[in-house]
């Protein structure tokens, strides 16, 4: 009888290096307050954002992802031909196929690595880290590249006061590989599609195509471009009601206590949300809290790796510290895990 030789699992995994790329343009609050009839003071009080980064017109989402990927490979001391899988979280890539992950793999020289995209909005990066951990631990891969990238500016309505003024462009990436001791805890994740309306795209691409056809017949060219909207108060309520518990579950799953956490890296959604979650968790006073949103804005799937990259680059956090990271967003998708910083 023919037998199948099982793949040998490894003892543990860890993040070997992180990298990032932020949109080239620094967009101040004063530049965007006119269309939303607001002020720099109002935006800072409501969100903590002073500036956000947005990409130049000629900078594609592929360009950003490749830059972050190469930066993470350099930080990890890994070459692209050592990557077995590329996982990429995004909701702002306009081409349904092929996957952006496959194009990134080709651009960096990781072909024929397996490659696929993850559509989990702001939780996409943490979804990717969870999958990378499982792939490496099981022996299916030795090194996995996880990228979170968004060109949110392509989905902005300048007159929208619900979310557009929060959004920025950027890419963050991490390389996950084997470790003698576990450096990535179990992922606590989930979603609630019943709340799909809390953060959503205003129109489908099919509706856009239909309108474009009607406009062509009518001899006009005006169509309403799909943008992102959110029900801010409802999102805030969901986060406060759910995220602290998700965070506690991730810490418990890692066999730790909240007092063991050195660094807290939540999705950079809103500084008020971050402050409230920190308060509810009762973290140690000396815990480093990521606040990259103040200068970069909300970059969805890219926000957690970008925040991590900043903390390490600026020396606010250091290698070996224990970090709790948690992403949450549209579809009310969420994912959290404890990681050892590279």
């Amino acid at each position: 009888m023919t037998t199948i030789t099982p793949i040998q699992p490894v003892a543990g995994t860890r993040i070997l290096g992180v990298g990032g790329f932020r949109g080239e343009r620094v967009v101040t609050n004063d530049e965007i307050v006119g269309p939303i009839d607001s002020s720099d003071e109002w935006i800072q009080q409501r969100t903590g954002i002073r500036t956000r980064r947005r990409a130049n017109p000629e900078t594609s989402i592929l360009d950003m992802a490749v830059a972050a990927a190469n930066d993470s490979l350099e930080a990890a001391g890994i070459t692209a031909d050592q990557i077995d899988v590329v996982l990429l979280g995004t909701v702002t890539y306009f081409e349904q196929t092929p996957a952006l992950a496959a194009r990134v793999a080709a651009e960096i020289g990781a072909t024929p690595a397996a490659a696929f995209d993850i559509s989990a909005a702001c939780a996409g990066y943490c979804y990717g880290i969870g999958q990378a951990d499982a792939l490496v631990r099981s022996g299916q891969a030795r090194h996995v590249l996880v990228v979170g990238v968004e060109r949110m500016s392509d989905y902005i309505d300048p007159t929208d006061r619900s979310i557009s003024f929060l959004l920025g462009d950027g890419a963050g990436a991490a390389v996950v590989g084997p470790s003698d001791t576990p450096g990535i805890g179990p992922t606590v994740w989930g979603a609630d599609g019943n709340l799909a309306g809390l953060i959503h795209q205003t129109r489908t691409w099919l509706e856009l195509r239909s309108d474009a056809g009607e406009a062509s017949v009518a001899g006009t060219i005006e169509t309403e471009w799909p943008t992102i909207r959110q029900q801010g108060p409802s999102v805030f309520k969901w986060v406060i009601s759910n995220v602290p518990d998700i965070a506690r579950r991730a810490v418990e799953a890692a066999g730790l206590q909240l007092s063991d956490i050195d660094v807290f890296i939540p999705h950079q959604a809103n500084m008020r949300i971050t402050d409230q979650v920190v308060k509810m968790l009762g973290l140690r006073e000396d815990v480093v809290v990521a606040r990259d949103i103040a200068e970069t804005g909300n970059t969805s799937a890219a926000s957690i790796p970008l925040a991590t990259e900043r903390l390490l680059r600026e020396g606010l956090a250091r290698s070996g510290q224990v970090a709790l990271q948690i992403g949450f967003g549209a579809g009310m998708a969420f994912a959290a895990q404890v990681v050892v910083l590279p």
Side-chain angles (χ1 to χ4, degrees), residues 1 21-22 30 58-59 95 97 105 155 160 207 209 222 236 258 285 287 298 315 319 334 339:
M1 179 179 176
F21 175 88
R22 291 169 172 79
D30 288 338
E58 65 273 15
T59 302
E95 299 178 37
T97 190
Y155 284 84
D160 168 48
E207 289 171 334
R209 184 179 69 175
E222 291 187 6
F236 185 87
L258 283 169
E285 290 188 2
V287 166
N298 179 341
S319 174
F334 60 86
V339 302

Side-chain angles (χ1 to χ4, degrees), residues 22-208:
R22 291 169 172 79
E24 301 93 337
R25 296 188 298 120
V26 177
V27 179
T28 66
N29 290 336
D30 288 338
E31 292 180 57
I32 64 173
V33 294
I36 61 174
D37 190 24
S38 185
S39 67
D40 170 64
E41 180 183 15
W42 183 85
I43 292 177
Q44 290 203 46
Q45 287 180 347
R46 300 272 303 181
T47 70
I49 296 175
R50 296 189 296 271
T51 63
R52 73 280 299 136
R53 301 291 288 269
R54 291 181 180 168
N56 287 333
E58 65 273 15
T59 302
S60 70
I61 192 169
L62 175 62
D63 295 333
M64 295 191 293
V66 167
N70 284 328
D71 196 30
S72 70
L73 290 171
E74 181 178 355
I78 297 295
T79 56
D81 59 359
Q82 293 176 273
I83 296 297
D84 301 305
V85 182
V86 177
L87 307 176
L88 188 144
T90 187
V91 293
T92 54
Y93 182 52
F94 288 116
E95 299 178 37
Q96 290 296 115
T97 190
L100 181 57
R103 297 188 64 191
V104 170
E107 287 289 328
I108 67 175
T111 302
F116 59 93
D117 292 351
I118 301 168
S119 180
C122 308
Y125 171 77
C126 289
Y127 266 52
I129 292 296
Q131 293 180 63
D133 167 55
L135 287 167
V136 176
R137 279 193 297 107
S138 69
Q140 289 286 339
R142 184 165 180 81
H143 295 106
V144 178
L145 172 65
V146 180
V147 181
V149 59
E150 306 287 8
R151 251 191 78 108
M152 301 304 296
S153 58
D154 289 333
Y155 284 84
I156 287 174
D157 173 358
T159 66
D160 168 48
R161 289 173 62 94
S162 76
I163 195 171
S164 289
F165 65 95
L166 301 172
L167 303 176
D169 301 338
V175 176
V176 173
S179 173
D180 293 334
T181 57
I184 299 176
T187 297
V188 173
W189 58 354
D192 187 352
N194 293 308
L195 301 175
L198 296 193
I199 307 172
H200 64 283
Q201 184 173 309
T202 54
R203 308 175 72 246
T204 70
W205 299 115
L206 287 176
E207 289 171 334
L208 178 67

Side-chain angles (χ1 to χ4, degrees), residues 217-233:
V217 171
T220 63
I221 59 173
E222 291 187 6
T223 56
E224 182 185 345
W225 183 256
T227 58
I228 301 295
R229 292 286 194 280
Q230 75 168 346
Q231 296 180 28

